[in-house]
């Protein structure tokens, strides 16, 4: 976190996170970037299971950076606790006494079995904000079923189906990128927590906050959800690149194999300007395209002509040609290009940071900024790195800490 105190809007807020993988821990990472103290509770043996993805080969560990631990866990403190032991449960409840937020991804049956469900935590801290991130929500037949973003968000939530339907020539469902729904969900959870903190500050009452990956998917597909029952059971009309109803909302391929996206929703407003910039000024007065109705009826031909124009120039040439255009357009970039994009650099959207071992790498920070302050997060903690520090801050004597270690309750 940057040292500028004005950006630490959650300074003084303590979050106790009992969660694994990316979805819920990503919320903790956002809260840490907003200035909260986030204590990550990891299993005493092995820690967050995502730490093991490097050794299993799922995460490459390139340049000695386990990015799937760094992304959702930057800026936190880590304590290793065996929650199956009486001592471990005692430690967890002791830490909960001074927390403002209890954040978990554990399923209901496991929370009950390990003794940290809502009633357990509120028995020691009545006004705490209790936050649950889940695959399928707190109610219904699947409330206690495990879920990942690939299952609950991408598949069950309809995201994969809709993106596949919108992609031409794809014969199997489009695969999501790593933690795609998880990171959107973490940001959503963080927003819910901020609202709950405001409620508690104004009323003194804590809330139980729930965010599910299925619910997130439905929200992301709001237009599709809204129209899905408006067609008398007939499937909604879909369009391809070739017959786009608005040729100025489309992707066009350049001569060097790059795509430019045009996004000018007001076709009439931008048509003449866009055709001139693209190098087709004669189409402005062409009777096939001069008016709205014939333009729609002849849209396949219009798209074909724009395709031909784009195929004659390189991306660099198109950047120059489209620069004066007042309508919205952009280049389809790779993640590496995003890192070096002037907008990304100027606004600090991708930070240069290091792991706890000092290995440099780049990390996208959460997109919310306060007072134009850029976030530079520290790396994710090592497994159990702060166990002693956290327990001493909680008021435990060293002899008691040593006893808990000897008993296998903490790391």
């Amino acid at each position: 976190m940057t040292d500028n105190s004005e950006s630490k809007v959650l300074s003084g807020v303590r979050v106790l996170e009992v969660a694994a993988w990316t979805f819920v821990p990503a919320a903790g990472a956002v809260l840490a970037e907003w200035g909260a103290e986030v204590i990550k509770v990891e299993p005493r043996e092995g820690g967050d299971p995502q730490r093991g993805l490097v050794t299993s080969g799922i995460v490459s560990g390139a340049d000695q950076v386990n990015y799937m631990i760094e992304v959702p866990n930057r800026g936190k403190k880590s304590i290793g606790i065996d929650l199956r032991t009486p001592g471990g449960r005692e430690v967890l409840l002791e830490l909960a006494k001074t927390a403002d937020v209890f954040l978990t991804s554990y399923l209901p049956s496991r929370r009950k079995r390990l003794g940290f469900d809502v009633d357990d935590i509120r028995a020691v801290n009545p006004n705490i904000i209790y936050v649950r991130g889940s695959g399928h929500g707190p109610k219904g037949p699947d409330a206690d079923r495990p879920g990942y973003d690939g299952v609950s968000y991408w598949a069950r939530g309809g995201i994969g189906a809709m993106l596949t339907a919108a992609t031409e020539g794809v014969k199997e469902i489009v695969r999501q990128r790593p933690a795609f729904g998880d990171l959107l969900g973490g940001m959503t959870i963080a927003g819910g927590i901020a609202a709950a903190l405001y409620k508690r500050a104004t009323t003194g009452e804590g809330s139980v906050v729930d965010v599910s990956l299925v619910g997130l998917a439905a929200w992301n597909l709001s237009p599709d959800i809204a129209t899905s029952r408006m067609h008398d059971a007939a499937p909604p009309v879909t369009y391809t690149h070739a017959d786009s109803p608005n040729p100025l909302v489309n992707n066009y391929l350049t001569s060097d194999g790059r795509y430019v996206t045009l996004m000018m929703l007001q076709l009439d407003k931008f048509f003449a300007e866009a055709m001139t910039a693209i190098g087709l000024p004669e189409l402005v007065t062409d009777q096939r395209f001069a008016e709205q109705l014939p333009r729609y009826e002849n849209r396949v031909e219009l798209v074909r002509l724009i395709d031909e124009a784009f195929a004659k120039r390189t991306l660099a040439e198109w950047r120059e040609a489209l620069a004066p255009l007042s309508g919205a357009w952009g280049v389809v970039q790779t993640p590496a290009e995003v890192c070096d994009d002037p907008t990304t650099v100027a606004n600090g959207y991708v930070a240069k940071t290091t792991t706890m071992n000092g290995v440099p790498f780049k990390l996208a920070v959460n997109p919310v900024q306060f007072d134009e302050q850029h976030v530079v997060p520290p790396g994710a903690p090592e497994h159990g790195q702060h166990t002693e520090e956290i327990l001493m801050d909680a008021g435990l004597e060293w002899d008691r800490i040593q006893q808990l270690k000897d008993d296998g309750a903490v790391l």
Side-chain angles (χ1 to χ4, degrees):
M1 193 77 182
T2 178
D3 288 335
N4 191 311
S5 60
E6 290 183 357
S7 66
K8 296 185 177 182
V9 295
L10 293 185
S11 180
V13 172
R14 176 171 290 172
V15 179
L16 187 59
E17 176 190 298
V18 186
W21 303 103
T22 297
F23 171 36
V24 175
V30 172
L31 298 173
E33 289 183 346
W34 291 348
E37 177 190 15
V38 181
I39 299 172
K40 180 180 179 67
V41 175
E42 303 190 56
R44 182 181 179 277
E45 298 294 330
D48 187 321
Q50 197 150 246
R51 292 187 184 276
L53 294 186
V54 169
T55 55
S56 68
I58 296 176
V59 173
S60 67
D63 301 321
Q64 304 175 37
V65 177
N66 184 346
Y67 52 87
M68 289 310 295
I69 277 292
E70 296 290 339
V71 167
N73 293 297
R74 66 285 195 106
K76 300 177 184 178
K77 296 177 180 178
S78 171
I79 180 172
I81 304 178
D82 188 342
L83 296 173
R84 300 168 299 179
T85 65
R89 184 172 182 273
E90 172 195 335
V91 167
L92 184 69
L93 294 178
E94 192 65 34
L95 296 177
K97 289 178 182 179
T98 59
D100 299 289
V101 178
F102 188 91
L103 177 60
T104 185
S105 62
Y106 281 39
L107 293 170
S109 58
R110 196 173 183 195
R111 296 196 306 265
K112 289 182 173 65
R113 185 170 68 252
L114 295 176
F116 61 85
D117 210 357
V118 178
D119 292 341
D120 302 304
I121 298 301
R122 288 203 161 157
V124 299
N125 189 339
N127 295 321
I128 198 168
I129 296 166
Y130 193 98
V131 186
R132 306 176 295 209
S134 64
H136 311 106
K139 298 181 180 180
D142 298 323
D144 205 36
R145 283 188 59 189
Y148 288 91
D149 64 337
V151 172
S152 307
Y153 173 80
W154 195 259
R156 188 167 185 171
I159 302 290
M162 293 312 299
L163 292 186
T164 300
T167 305
E168 297 173 50
V170 176
K171 296 183 179 180
E172 63 177 72
I173 191 166
V174 173
R175 294 186 180 186
Q176 74 160 15
R177 302 306 301 152
F180 192 84
D182 286 339
L183 291 164
L184 292 172
M187 195 75 216
T188 304
I189 293 172
I193 290 172
L197 286 167
Y198 178 80
K199 176 191 172 185
R200 197 179 74 164
T202 55
T203 69
E205 298 177 4
S207 301
V208 175
V209 179
D210 282 291
V211 177
S212 78
L213 289 166
V214 170
L216 176 68
W219 169 254
N220 286 161
L221 290 179
S222 288
D224 295 298
I225 294 290
T227 59
S228 65
R229 298 295 183 181
M230 293 182 180
H231 300 281
D232 298 324
V237 178
T238 58
Y239 298 94
T240 67
H241 165 81
D243 67 343
S244 172
N246 180 349
L248 294 188
V249 178
N250 220 339
N251 300 303
Y252 292 98
L253 186 64
T254 68
S255 64
D256 52 350
R258 299 298 301 274
Y259 280 97
V260 173
T261 296
L262 305 183
M263 187 59 64
M264 284 161 270
L265 299 174
Q266 296 167 283
L267 179 56
D268 285 344
K269 177 179 179 180
F270 293 107
F271 184 68
E273 182 188 5
M275 290 303 98
T276 301
I278 291 169
L280 298 171
E282 67 277 9
L283 299 188
V284 176
T285 55
D286 190 310
Q287 292 304 304
R288 295 172 297 172
F289 314 118
E291 300 293 335
Q292 188 176 62
L293 182 58
R295 190 185 302 138
Y296 177 80
E297 292 172 341
N298 292 288
R299 66 189 185 281
V300 172
E301 177 64 9
L302 180 54
V303 169
R304 186 188 69 79
L305 292 170
I306 298 174
D307 272 335
E308 289 182 353
F310 269 90
K312 293 176 182 177
R313 300 194 227 179
T314 66
L315 176 60
E317 292 172 321
W318 280 114
R319 286 186 187 273
E320 183 177 351
L322 298 177
L325 189 56
S326 62
W329 65 276
V331 175
V332 178
Q333 298 191 129
T334 66
E337 289 172 324
V338 173
C339 288
D340 298 325
D341 187 297
T343 289
T344 301
V345 173
N347 290 286
Y349 295 147
V350 176
K352 295 179 180 179
T353 187
T354 63
T355 66
M356 285 295 180
N357 294 328
V359 180
F361 71 107
K362 288 187 175 182
L363 183 67
V365 299
N366 85 86
V368 178
Q369 291 184 349
F370 300 97
D371 304 309
E372 299 184 8
Q373 296 299 312
H374 297 179
V375 173
V376 182
E382 297 295 327
H383 175 211
Q385 178 179 339
H386 304 93
T387 295
E388 287 115 354
E389 174 190 332
I390 291 169
L391 294 180
M392 292 180 73
D393 286 347
L396 275 68
E397 299 292 338
W398 179 254
D399 288 347
R400 178 56 179 153
I401 295 173
Q402 189 60 55
Q403 184 63 54
L404 289 166
K405 284 177 169 286
D406 293 342
D407 292 343
V410 300
L411 182 63

